[in-house]
Amino acid sequence: MTTPWKTVIVVLTVIGTLIAMNQAFFWNPGGFSLLANSYLYLVLACFLPIVFLCYPIVKSQGGKRLPSYDIAIAALVLITCLYLGYNGETIITFGWDYAAPPLATAAAFVLWIAVLDALRRTAGLVVTGIALAFSLYPLIADVIPIGFLRGLSFDLKTTAQIHALGADSILGLPLQVGGSILIGFLMFGVALQHTGGAAFFYDLAQAAFGRFRGGSAKVSVISSGSMGMMSGSAVSNVLTTGPMTIPAMKRSGFAGKYAAGVEATASTGGTITPPIMGTAAFLMVSFVGVPYAEIALAAAVPALLYFLGIFVQIDAYSAKSGLRGVRRELLPRFGGVLLKGWPYLTALIGLIVILIVYKNEVQAPYFVIAFLLVVEIVKFALSSDLKKVPALLFDFVYSAGRTIGEIIGIIAGVGLIVGGLSMTGVSLSMARELIALVDGNIILILIAGAITSFVLGMGMTVSAVYVFLAIILAPALVALGINPIAGHLFVIYWATVSYITPPVALASFAAANIAKTPPMATSLVAMRLGAVKYIIPFAFVFNPALLAQDAGLVEIIYTLLFAVIGVFFIGCAFEGWAIGVERRMHAVTRVITGLAGITTLAPELTSSLIGLGVGVLAMVVTRFVNTGEAPTGEVPIEDDAVAESLARTDDIGESTDETDSART
């Protein structure tokens, strides 16, 4: 990507961002305002061409000179979207989604094909094949032999018009959320990374946890979770922080596959961590119909429990293996890190305040972005380095454009799935048929939903899986009495499970490549470390108090306490070490403690109390009947080498073409 083409991307990004801010802040210069469909076409006009400029038509073209055909495709997409945006009012007034003139029909076909190709370039062939099948589904919907899959049928011309000119397909809910909320939050994540936020959270993790046993692994958990909070991409997180944390963990005495498993599991957790989370969480805003702040608040406790489960296992593993942390003098000072990183903490706190108090998720990220950029410019001014500001802003806007272009390409393509189901009318009957199929049994439908989310997650992005199941599965869960937020989060959690679960396990495989360990063995370790992720979705479905839903403050507090204790028991059981008691556990005691942890997590107070009692009893028994203590003497480590590995924060937050392309 040469500088002239980077400049083109920057110009498109600036125009697209200004258009998005106009809609967010109601500037409407000269009294001019955009209709919703015109606005979305202009968003596509600015960000969809970026996909064809940044992502090669085939992987073998990566790193080569930008080919002329990609330039031509980008230009054609730009012109097509501008034409449709200009005629936005006419499309609605004259019903072009069912009866368009020849030129508009041709534009519809161009946009349909372009969106599919953009989806293929950004998300891969599997999800593109699924989107293509659903987008063509209206052509044969009336002859499908399965009753609940039979629906209205359309010819090819009308299908193209509805997909590209209607309000429920390419311009449907996914793109509507992308155009209104996602652009700002994606830019906020990029702004955090480019102004040093990623390095700050990494240093903060070192200062807080580096000196404790297994400190290098705990640093990995916090830093990777923080990166995931900013980017929402598990594989990208592994590739960004993994080259630093995995060697540090290995030098600290961790086995290679364990180090890689920690990195993969922690990076995957970042996609479900508020306040930013992943793309699917923003899509929930439209599907559930609640403010984003409520979704982020609901997701906070499950994310906390997930990372707690990883922490407990790391601590237990470190204790039984005799691993220690890095000497305090080799690590950053906690107070100094906080003092230096006040802008990033202020930005996050400010974002949360705006979301909760002012309840304006559309405008919130832009205020925080402006704050971060102003602080960064002032820093350069105070150090007499103002000449570096243009390069900083250029790189920031370029990276933001690539990120937004990728996500817009994905969610526009995912919209075709929604369009194919909605125009045939099938989406209205699927939830009802699903309930009838399981005879109203909540357990069966949850198991079926978990398996479906996992299988789809092996070949589709989390946002694609979520949109598909938000139409089919989530309404059925809600109809059976499950809290709406719990039902939708259940889908998201199980869609992300595929990142660490064989046979695909993209995050685990990426970490294994860095650690030079067997991918499948690494994935199995990651599964064990992320065990809470398989349990928590069922827990919060049956006990919405874990999501701060359908419960009073007292119930929420004691539910959280029981959940923390339950996760503690589960973590100790998986590693076979009783933390606090500091003894190895017998196999029987491990099983009993694990079951006690699950019981403590159960929704009823009685079962939680029973689980608590059994777990405590198992710990007491372990104190006197066990298989031994930790090894005498600590495992020797090269503190300087570990500290040097952990200190390579200059690379964190730097966006490269290779790292960006690896997100898919």
Side-chain angles (χ1 to χ4, degrees):
M1 183 62 61
T2 59
T3 300
W5 286 113
K6 284 186 176 182
T7 304
V8 171
I9 292 171
V10 167
V11 171
L12 288 172
T13 303
V14 169
I15 295 173
T17 304
L18 289 174
I19 293 172
M21 292 179 70
N22 175 68
Q23 292 294 103
F25 292 95
F26 310 106
W27 290 337
N28 299 332
F32 176 76
S33 61
L34 288 170
L35 293 176
N37 65 337
S38 291
Y39 166 65
L40 294 177
Y41 283 128
L42 292 180
V43 168
L44 289 174
C46 291
F47 294 109
L48 201 57
I50 294 176
V51 174
F52 301 99
L53 297 177
C54 292
Y55 295 86
I57 193 168
V58 291
K59 290 183 178 179
S60 60
Q61 291 295 315
K64 297 182 180 179
R65 184 176 179 178
L66 184 64
S68 56
Y69 52 79
D70 277 345
I71 298 172
I73 295 172
L76 178 61
V77 170
L78 174 64
I79 294 170
T80 299
C81 293
L82 288 175
Y83 166 75
L84 294 175
Y86 177 78
N87 288 282
E89 184 177 355
T90 307
I91 291 172
I92 296 174
T93 304
F94 292 95
W96 279 10
D97 49 342
Y98 285 93
L103 184 58
T105 301
F109 275 104
V110 169
L111 184 58
W112 184 7
I113 295 170
V115 165
L116 283 170
D117 189 38
L119 182 62
R120 181 188 63 81
R121 294 179 187 227
T122 54
L125 282 172
V126 175
V127 64
T128 305
I130 294 171
L132 175 62
F134 276 97
S135 66
L136 294 173
Y137 176 63
L139 301 178
I140 58 170
D142 61 337
V143 296
I144 296 293
I146 303 173
F148 68 90
L149 293 178
R150 191 179 301 121
L152 298 175
S153 184
F154 299 90
D155 58 38
L156 183 62
K157 175 183 173 182
T158 306
T159 300
Q161 291 171 350
I162 297 175
H163 277 315
L165 308 178
D168 296 319
S169 189
I170 294 174
L171 302 188
L173 274 178
L175 189 60
Q176 291 168 23
V177 174
S180 61
I181 302 177
L182 264 180
I183 292 177
F185 275 92
L186 290 171
M187 292 195 75
F188 171 55
V190 175
L192 266 180
Q193 295 181 54
H194 276 257
T195 57
F200 161 70
F201 287 113
Y202 190 79
D203 287 340
L204 189 65
Q206 288 189 72
F209 299 103
R211 67 182 185 276
F212 298 109
R213 64 188 183 193
S216 58
K218 294 172 182 177
V219 169
S220 172
V221 173
I222 297 299
S223 60
S224 299
S226 301
M227 280 293 295
M229 182 186 65
M230 288 184 273
S231 71
S233 172
V235 178
S236 177
N237 296 348
V238 172
L239 295 172
T240 303
T241 60
M244 282 151 281
T245 58
I246 291 175
M249 283 186 275
K250 292 173 71 175
R251 288 171 178 168
S252 296
F254 286 92
K257 61 183 180 181
Y258 197 93
V262 168
E263 177 61 39
T265 310
S267 294
T268 303
T271 61
I272 54 170
T273 305
I276 303 179
M277 302 175 66
T279 306
F282 293 97
L283 296 175
M284 276 183 64
V285 172
S286 291
F287 279 105
V288 182
V290 299
Y292 177 70
E294 186 173 345
I295 292 173
L297 179 64
V301 171
L304 169 67
L305 296 176
Y306 176 74
F307 283 107
L308 176 64
I310 304 173
F311 254 79
V312 171
Q313 291 187 67
I314 290 173
D315 194 61
Y317 178 92
S318 303
K320 73 179 182 181
S321 303
L323 302 181
R324 63 177 177 84
V326 180
R327 296 197 311 273
R328 184 192 294 267
E329 59 267 23
L330 296 176
L331 297 169
R333 295 293 180 183
F334 189 79
V337 173
L338 281 180
L339 185 62
K340 184 179 178 181
W342 69 266
Y344 316 111
L345 291 177
T346 304
L348 284 177
I349 294 171
L351 178 66
I352 294 170
V353 169
I354 295 173
L355 287 175
I356 295 176
V357 177
Y358 294 99
K359 302 183 185 302
N360 195 328
E361 61 263 22
V362 178
Q363 297 179 357
Y366 295 109
F367 288 117
V368 185
I369 292 169
F371 168 76
L372 286 173
L373 293 179
V374 168
V375 169
E376 195 69 10
I377 292 171
V378 170
K379 284 182 182 178
F380 281 116
L382 293 175
S383 60
S384 301
D385 279 336
L386 277 175
K387 59 184 180 181
K388 295 181 180 179
V389 171
L392 167 72
L393 295 177
F394 185 89
D395 290 341
F396 160 63
V397 176
Y398 170 69
S399 296
R402 282 181 61 97
T403 301
I404 298 170
E406 176 190 357
I407 299 301
I408 292 295
I410 291 173
I411 62 179
V414 169
L416 291 169
I417 299 175
V418 181
L421 291 171
S422 64
M423 75 173 71
T424 57
V426 170
S427 59
L428 301 175
S429 62
M430 276 189 161
R432 183 179 64 251
E433 294 293 336
L434 187 58
I435 293 173
L437 184 65
V438 299
D439 196 26
N441 190 305
I442 294 180
I443 297 292
L444 285 180
I445 200 170
L446 287 175
I447 293 174
I451 294 173
T452 304
S453 299
F454 167 67
V455 172
L456 292 176
M458 290 192 294
M460 297 169 65
T461 62
V462 175
S463 55
V465 175
Y466 170 70
V467 168
F468 181 69
L469 293 180
I471 298 171
I472 298 172
L473 176 65
L477 296 177
V478 174
L480 289 173
I482 292 173
N483 177 275
I485 292 180
H488 285 259
L489 274 179
F490 180 88
V491 172
I492 292 177
Y493 263 71
W494 272 96
T496 61
V497 157
S498 61
Y499 281 120
I500 58 173
T501 310
V504 179
L506 293 178
S508 298
F509 285 12
N513 184 52
I514 296 172
K516 308 301 180 187
T517 56
M520 283 299 174
T522 302
S523 299
L524 293 175
V525 173
M527 280 183 67
R528 191 183 76 211
L529 286 165
V532 172
K533 201 170 193 175
Y534 301 87
I535 301 171
I536 285 295
F538 290 94
F540 63 60
V541 161
F542 288 107
N543 191 1
L546 283 172
L547 304 177
Q549 299 286 311
D550 302 341
L553 180 61
V554 174
E555 183 180 354
I556 292 172
I557 292 173
Y558 74 67
T559 299
L560 173 60
L561 290 176
F562 279 124
V564 167
I565 295 170
V567 168
F568 174 79
F569 287 155
I570 292 171
C572 292
F574 270 110
E575 287 297 341
W577 180 266
I579 297 175
V581 177
E582 304 303 318
R583 295 289 188 277
R584 295 181 185 272
M585 304 173 73
H586 277 287
V588 175
T589 314
R590 291 175 67 176
V591 172
I592 293 174
T593 305
L595 293 175
I598 295 174
T599 306
T600 308
L601 269 171
E604 294 182 354
L605 180 59
T606 303
S607 60
S608 297
L609 290 171
I610 293 173
L612 174 62
V614 173
V616 170
L617 180 61
M619 289 290 184
V620 172
V621 170
T622 300
R623 173 65 180 82
F624 302 101
V625 183
N626 53 70
T627 59
E629 303 179 13
T632 56
E634 295 173 329
V635 175
I637 67 171
E638 300 176 9
D639 288 58
D640 294 335
V642 175
E644 182 182 354
S645 297
L646 290 174
R648 292 171 53 202
T649 56
D650 291 342
D651 296 332
I652 297 183
E654 294 296 325
S655 178
T656 64
D657 291 348
E658 290 78 10
T659 300
D660 287 339
S661 64
R663 294 182 185 189
T664 57

